[in-house]
Amino acid sequence: VFWEDGKFIHTRCFTVDVSEQKKLVQTIRESEARYKSLVNSLPVAVYTCNKEGAITFFNDVAVQLWGYTPDTNNKLLKYCACYKVYSDGKYVRPDETPMAIALHTGRSFRNIEAYVERPEGTGFFASVNIDPFFDAEGNLIGAVNVFQDVSHSKQSEAALRESESRYRQLIHILDTPLYTTDTEGRITLYNNAAAILWGREPEIGKDLWCGSFKILNKDGSDMPLDTCPMALCLKEKRPVYGEEILVVRPDGSIRNVAPHPQPVFDSAGNMTGAINMLIDITRMKETENALRESETKYRTLASTLEKEVERKVQDLKAKSEDLKISEERYHKMVEEVEDYAILMLDAEGIVQNWNKGAEKIKGYTEEEIVGKSFQEFYLPGDRETGLPLQLLDHARKTGKAIHEGWRKRKDNSIFWASTVITALHDLQGNVIGFSKVTRDLTERKQSEDKMQEYLSQLEFQNKELEQFVYAASHDLKEPIRKIHFYSDFIAEDQSSKLSDRSRDYLNRSINAADRMKKLIDDLLIYSRTTAKVESYETVDLDKVLTEVINIFKEEMGYDDITVESERLPSINAIPFQIKQLLINLFDNAVKYKHTERKLHMGITYTQVPGKVVPEFMADPAVVYHLICIKDNGIGFDPLYAKKLFNIFQRLKTEASGSGIGLAICKRIVQNHNGFILASGKQNEGAIFSIYLPTQP
């Protein structure tokens, strides 16, 4: 409408076509409908906020996870529609959520984990992904939050961790050294028994093939690590059995070991690594050495006793070899171990699984025993006394129960079992079950029983032999005394008319009776010193030496003896035997003194370490008293130095003796865990060196 000076002049009309705008609005509405339909069809929860934090859209999955339908008109509802949100156990306010941070900073968030609580108290673990929206000019206009329920994944992860924890716990409770590697040979797991055997703890993922400080072949030569049984197992993808190696610890000690490496494959047949069980056979080797030493020590017994000892020793060696062969078969772990019965029990003692070793030892198949009580393996008497449940209760309270005893197989035959029951705990420390490892030690039990029986027989025979010597010697003394008495009477009777020849024979008979009496006395002393039946006391050697010198000078009339001695110590010893030791050494010096000079004896004392003791396997860590007794007698050929201490051994001289005195000296020193040596030269004298440990 147009006016001029307040008067109407004319009108104009303009027409605008808005059909295109309506089409555009309709298209936008259809696009939004398709967008909402698409978002609602997604299996994840989605909601959006404008730049002020007000919730502008959410899909059905979000409503299901939230547990309610939020009111978008509520101005207090901003950033997040969850009832409560927790991160690392702490409550998170809506204005502190990742959505609020994204709207304030423009940042995106990926795979943020949080715990969402619903109004009725239930909840779930959510994985959150947030992206901000920007307009064409780059201005922040809102953000979208895509989240989903990952509770099942969390539970699976927890179950996986618990399963792995059980596996590692089972490995560590085994007393047998055990470790695993990957396909490259890097150590992935080892138990405490393996670390003790190695004397060190290897570095997981770094140490290759084994955790040993050093490995040697049986002959003591170096074995490169890349040629060890475990390396060969991984290289050739096969078990390696029957090998024996020497493991050197960082402190220098050496253990004899029989390794049993075996490759591990996955369900597709691909090798994933290897497992190695190490059998420490050091004690078995020491037992063999001890048996050889025992055989040498008892060679001086009567011929019939020697044959019996040899038979018993050979029998024990055979049993030891059988035991070695048996132990070398223990090469598999859990289901593959055939010589250990390894099974899992629930908290009430019900069998949960069964390995080949259990089937081999106990006779049951897995189908026959799983689901039954472990009390099936115990004898009726043990079940009546409650032994199985007592062991289970002990393991529950202390963590472990160890027991040896007779058990029964499926066919009711019995075997001697060594059993270790270990409690298994969950992450909260609650007992959830038990592991039970059983080993059949019937052969070892039988060997030990036979050895004990043999030792008892040997001890009984030794006592009978000592009693025989003692009784025989006493019975022989009586006729000797009568012979001596009647011979002396005849010799001293002036009325007896004897020819010179008869009197010479009579004197020879008296001298023979004296020698027989001395021989019997020495046999009694030797018999008394063959067993350590007396207790140790503090013995002052200076005082004992003075008593012995007085015996020879005053009682025996050898006043032409000169003795020079250093100050001697007080030692822990058997008083009678130490005195008898010095008496026999003095008596030996008197018998073999030089006819052209007076007898002179010199005694010295010092302390020496075991490593300097010549010709003997002395303990290098032990300190010994060294007492040297030197004389200036006729001496002897050094070739006879070792024979001097044999019973009834005499030098070819005019001196008389029973041949038992030095044997008594050797026996006394051995009773005190010491050593005695003789050295000398003809016509120059002899030296007797006595080594006695300072700590008996």
Side-chain angles (χ1 to χ4, degrees), residues 291-292 294-295 308-318 454:
L291 288 174
R292 286 192 290 269
S294 176
E295 183 182 4
E308 181 66 17
V309 170
E310 182 178 358
R311 189 182 70 81
K312 293 294 184 179
V313 170
Q314 292 300 328
D315 182 60
L316 184 59
K317 282 185 176 180
Y454 158 68

Side-chain angles (χ1 to χ4, degrees), residues 174-179 191-195 197 276-280:
L174 290 176
D175 292 333
T176 301
L178 191 74
Y179 70 97
N191 64 3
N192 186 55
L197 176 64
N276 196 356
M277 183 169 65
L278 306 173
I279 305 298
D280 188 346

Side-chain angles (χ1 to χ4, degrees), residues 5 52 181 209 228 246 414 498 506 526 529 585 591 618 683:
D5 296 331
E52 285 78 22
T181 70
W209 299 302
C228 70
L246 301 179
I414 62 173
L498 299 174
L506 183 60
Y526 185 79
T529 58
L585 290 175
K591 288 176 185 176
N683 296 319

Side-chain angles (χ1 to χ4, degrees), residues 144-373:
V144 61
N145 188 342
V146 179
F147 63 97
Q148 58 182 333
D149 184 355
V150 294
S151 299
H152 181 72
S153 298
K154 297 287 286 186
Q155 293 172 353
S156 298
E157 291 175 3
L160 182 60
R161 285 194 298 270
E162 184 173 350
S163 175
E164 184 177 356
S165 174
R166 280 192 181 187
Y167 167 71
R168 291 180 177 271
Q169 192 176 19
L170 179 61
I171 293 294
H172 283 290
I173 63 175
L174 290 176
D175 292 333
T176 301
L178 191 74
Y179 70 97
T180 61
T181 70
D182 60 16
T183 55
E184 302 299 322
R186 291 183 290 268
I187 293 179
T188 57
L189 176 65
Y190 63 90
N191 64 3
N192 186 55
I196 293 174
L197 176 64
W198 293 327
R200 63 184 293 267
E201 294 192 5
E203 188 173 344
I204 295 295
K206 184 175 181 180
D207 282 32
L208 288 172
W209 299 302
C210 71
S212 302
F213 174 71
K214 191 177 182 181
I215 298 179
L216 305 177
N217 292 301
K218 286 195 299 184
D219 60 3
S221 60
D222 288 339
M223 174 184 287
L225 287 179
D226 58 358
T227 65
C228 70
M230 185 57 140
L232 184 63
C233 168
L234 290 168
K235 180 180 179 181
E236 300 182 2
K237 300 182 180 180
R238 66 174 181 85
V240 178
Y241 304 140
E243 297 292 330
E244 183 179 329
I245 62 175
L246 301 179
V247 171
V248 182
R249 292 169 167 168
D251 61 3
S253 60
I254 298 177
R255 307 298 293 179
N256 296 78
V257 174
H260 296 79
Q262 178 173 324
V264 177
F265 300 91
D266 60 17
S267 58
N270 300 314
M271 188 174 71
T272 60
I275 184 169
N276 196 356
M277 183 169 65
L278 306 173
I279 305 298
D280 188 346
I281 59 175
T282 306
R283 181 162 294 182
M284 185 183 302
K285 294 292 185 181
E286 293 173 348
T287 300
E288 292 176 358
N289 294 333
L291 288 174
R292 286 192 290 269
E293 293 176 3
S294 176
E295 183 182 4
T296 302
K297 183 170 64 173
Y298 289 104
R299 283 179 181 173
T300 57
L301 293 176
S303 60
T304 55
L305 185 59
E306 286 180 349
K307 292 178 181 179
E308 181 66 17
V309 170
E310 182 178 358
R311 189 182 70 81
K312 293 294 184 179
V313 170
Q314 292 300 328
D315 182 60
L316 184 59
K317 282 185 176 180
K319 291 299 181 181
S320 179
E321 189 64 25
D322 291 342
L323 181 61
K324 176 183 177 182
I325 294 172
S326 176
E327 287 189 352
E328 287 177 348
R329 298 194 184 103
Y330 298 163
H331 57 270
K332 292 185 180 180
M333 174 58 194
V334 190
E335 286 82 4
E336 293 301 321
V337 174
E338 294 188 359
D339 293 300
Y340 284 87
I342 303 175
L343 51 145
M344 305 289 290
L345 311 176
D346 66 10
E348 303 303 321
I350 304 302
V351 178
Q352 301 295 301
N353 68 345
W354 196 248
N355 76 328
K356 291 182 179 179
E359 182 174 344
K360 175 183 175 182
I361 293 173
K362 300 177 185 293
Y364 294 91
T365 63
E366 186 172 7
E367 293 76 13
E368 291 173 327
I369 200 65
V370 170
K372 295 184 178 180
S373 173

Side-chain angles (χ1 to χ4, degrees), residues 568-584:
L568 301 180
S570 293
I571 64 173
N572 288 324
I574 302 172
F576 163 77
Q577 293 190 9
I578 292 299
K579 184 175 180 179
Q580 195 64 46
L581 171 65
L582 294 180
I583 288 175
N584 279 278

